[in-house]
Amino acid sequence: MNAASTLTTRLTTGLLTERPRPRGIAGWRHAHWLAVGTVCLGAFLGQLTASITALAYPALQRHFDTGFAAVEWVALAYLLVLVALLAPIGRLSDLVGRKTMYIGGFVVFGLASLGAGFADGLGTLIALRAVQAVGGAMMQANSVALVARGVSEHAMRRALGIQAAAQGLGLALGPSLGGLLVEHASWRWVFWINVPVALVGVLAGWFLLPRTRHPDAGPVPRELPRPVPRPRGTARTARTRLGDGGHFDLAGLLLLAGSTTALLLALSAASGLPLPGWAVAALLLAAVLCGLGLVRQERRATRPILAPGLVNTPGVRPGLAVSLIGYLLLFCPLVLGPVLLAEAGLPTARAGLVITLLPAAFAVAATVGGGLLPRGWSDVARCRFGAALAGAGLLGCVLLPAAGAPALWPALPLLVAGGGLGLLLPANNALVMRAIPAECSAVGGGMVNMARSLGTALGTALPVLGVHLAGPAMGGRSVLLALAAVAVLAVALSRPVRRR
């Protein structure tokens, strides 16, 4: 028994002990860009699986002989698990090491993708997609932190821009690659294509990522200031422990999952899911109650998964809101565009090429767009300009067809909107990560990615709701006008942090 226990301890310690990079790589002055490239593999894979899966929906409906409402949960199950786990996995990563967690994410993601390709039932496929999301959360909760803490201060914006470009590349490649795989091979290859990328990610992470936790290092700093209600004129603070002294916040995790699941179910029911009318109201009420319970739980928990002290840090809360808005603006046109272009009579192949312009412009602007702006502009100015540009592009998608523009009317506005988002999101991420204490960077990065995932989920659900309620033409235009207004909100939220 003692021998078995000793062996288990050694295996666990070996798996959780981060290995240093080879000396030749660690000593190279550009080694940090190799680490950024490794993080970009995870960013690419996460967005590829988000966009490529939608192309398999018709094939899945035929193969499993079911409706779209059921097949849609192949995507929603992934997003719900991702949203629920990003923050707690980010917290766990600060304790066990970000490199360890990131490499483990590739392993889980690759194995779940392999199993999903062999799934013989829709329920099995949805369950494996949930497991796949666990691996995705392990990668995404650490990606921003690995980039932000692995490069110098002046290179952070460029590095985060490269990461955003990798996301845009995966997002843009997904539709065309998914169509080819489904048409010439099988829907199963939509999931199997992830396996070789995950294998490369494991090898690259092992050799190219620096250690984030040394074997002889002491415990990670465990406390954050958390403002508490206090009489006017006083300046007392409470301390929120991040490590010892409490159990894992399971209640917070369940409330977070319950609120997001109820909200998306309500949107699906309102969009045509065969549920009674009272179910929509009940689900919305459940979402509100779970959300209020989550706020109360996080204020009381010893180890809250959302770290209220971190959220209340100046600049973090509006930055998270802008991150959510940015991905809402990015994904809504991707879902809505094909419907509107089909209504305008554009062939599917040409419509796909037009829609690709949005993520393609996003990727280019995130990589090199910042260098085209005046060098003296702050990140706040870049955020405001990018949000305004995105709003103008989305507004153009409404105004040009009303002016009798040709069938390819969305091409230029989508380029403008994608370019604006490519300027907005890297600068906003840099602002958020600068506001977050270094010892909590993985938790903060996880919350940034959670906001992004919430924006992605809402961007997938809201266009369907608009089209269902008002029809393709009127509903689509109403959604685009609402998106332009939300872009104005992002401009207002982007403001400098005033530290006391």
Side-chain angles (χ1 to χ4, degrees):
M1 189 68 177
N2 291 335
S5 177
T6 303
L7 179 61
T8 302
T9 302
R10 288 180 178 178
L11 287 175
T12 304
T13 304
L15 289 173
L16 296 181
T17 300
E18 295 184 343
R19 303 295 179 184
R21 294 173 292 180
R23 291 183 179 179
I25 295 176
W28 189 41
R29 64 190 184 97
H30 297 299
H32 56 284
W33 292 116
L34 296 177
V36 171
T38 302
V39 175
C40 286
L41 279 173
F44 169 83
L45 190 58
Q47 293 304 310
L48 179 69
T49 196
S51 60
I52 198 174
T53 307
L55 273 295
Y57 288 165
L60 291 174
Q61 288 179 257
R62 293 190 298 269
H63 183 84
F64 295 115
D65 191 22
T66 187
F68 181 76
V71 169
E72 185 182 23
W73 280 92
V74 173
L76 290 181
Y78 182 91
L79 290 171
L80 288 172
V81 173
L82 195 68
V83 169
L85 292 185
L86 278 172
I89 286 181
R91 178 176 299 282
L92 183 61
S93 301
D94 280 330
L95 301 176
V96 304
R98 300 168 202 147
K99 176 177 179 176
T100 297
M101 194 66 69
Y102 190 73
I103 295 175
F106 276 116
V107 174
V108 174
F109 194 95
L111 291 176
S113 299
L114 184 64
F118 286 108
D120 57 358
L122 184 59
T124 303
L125 178 59
I126 292 174
L128 286 167
R129 281 284 285 172
V131 176
Q132 194 182 47
V134 176
M138 293 170 70
M139 291 186 292
Q140 293 184 30
N142 290 281
S143 59
V144 176
L146 286 170
V147 171
R149 305 308 173 194
V151 300
S152 60
E153 181 78 11
H154 73 276
M156 186 189 300
R157 187 196 305 129
R158 183 184 175 192
L160 291 172
I162 293 173
Q163 183 203 10
Q167 294 173 347
L169 179 61
L171 201 62
L173 186 61
S176 56
L177 180 59
L180 289 173
L181 291 173
V182 171
E183 183 176 350
H184 297 290
S186 166
W187 63 265
R188 300 182 186 277
W189 280 98
V190 168
F191 303 101
W192 286 339
I193 194 67
N194 297 324
V195 177
V197 182
L199 180 60
V200 173
V202 171
L203 296 175
W206 184 270
F207 290 104
L208 303 182
L209 287 179
R211 285 192 297 194
T212 59
R213 186 174 178 83
H214 293 267
D216 56 348
V220 176
R222 302 177 187 276
E223 296 188 338
L224 270 179
R226 184 174 77 184
V228 296
R230 58 185 184 272
R232 185 174 299 178
T234 64
R236 292 182 301 164
T237 60
R239 309 294 286 185
T240 302
R241 297 189 65 80
L242 299 180
D244 300 331
H247 300 289
F248 178 74
D249 187 15
L250 180 60
L253 177 61
L254 293 176
L255 287 169
L256 175 62
S259 62
T260 53
T261 301
L263 176 61
L264 289 178
L265 272 173
L267 291 176
S268 297
S271 303
L273 200 67
L275 291 175
W278 58 265
V280 179
L283 287 168
L284 286 175
L285 179 61
V288 172
L289 291 178
C290 287
L292 293 175
L294 176 64
V295 172
R296 186 168 183 265
Q297 168 66 20
E298 297 306 276
R299 288 175 176 172
R300 300 171 54 192
T302 306
R303 298 169 62 187
I305 60 173
L306 294 182
L310 198 60
V311 175
N312 293 331
T313 300
V316 173
R317 185 182 299 173
L320 294 177
V322 171
S323 183
L324 186 151
I325 289 172
Y327 280 89
L328 171 66
L329 300 181
L330 180 61
F331 270 83
C332 266
L334 291 177
V335 177
L336 190 59
V339 177
L340 296 180
L341 291 174
E343 188 76 7
L346 201 66
T348 303
R350 293 177 66 188
L353 290 175
V354 171
I355 297 302
T356 301
L357 294 175
L358 176 70
F362 170 77
V364 172
T367 308
V368 301
L372 301 178
L373 297 178
R375 184 171 297 180
W377 278 21
S378 66
D379 283 324
V380 172
R382 293 167 188 267
C383 285
R384 290 174 175 172
F385 180 74
L389 207 59
L394 294 169
L395 188 60
C397 290
V398 179
L399 299 179
L400 286 183
L408 290 175
W409 57 266
L412 180 59
L414 287 177
L415 279 172
V416 173
L421 292 172
L423 297 174
L424 166 67
L425 290 170
N428 179 70
N429 287 347
L431 285 173
V432 174
M433 294 310 295
R434 288 194 187 100
I436 291 173
E439 65 270 17
C440 299
S441 57
V443 178
M447 289 197 295
V448 169
N449 282 303
M450 185 176 66
R452 185 192 72 189
S453 298
L454 281 172
T456 300
L458 292 174
T460 303
L462 290 178
V464 182
L465 177 62
V467 170
H468 176 75
L469 294 178
M474 182 60 67
R477 291 173 185 173
S478 300
V479 170
L480 289 172
L481 284 173
L483 293 179
V486 171
V488 175
L489 177 61
V491 175
L493 288 172
S494 301
R495 53 182 181 268
V497 177
R498 302 184 186 280
R499 298 186 182 277
R500 288 182 294 180

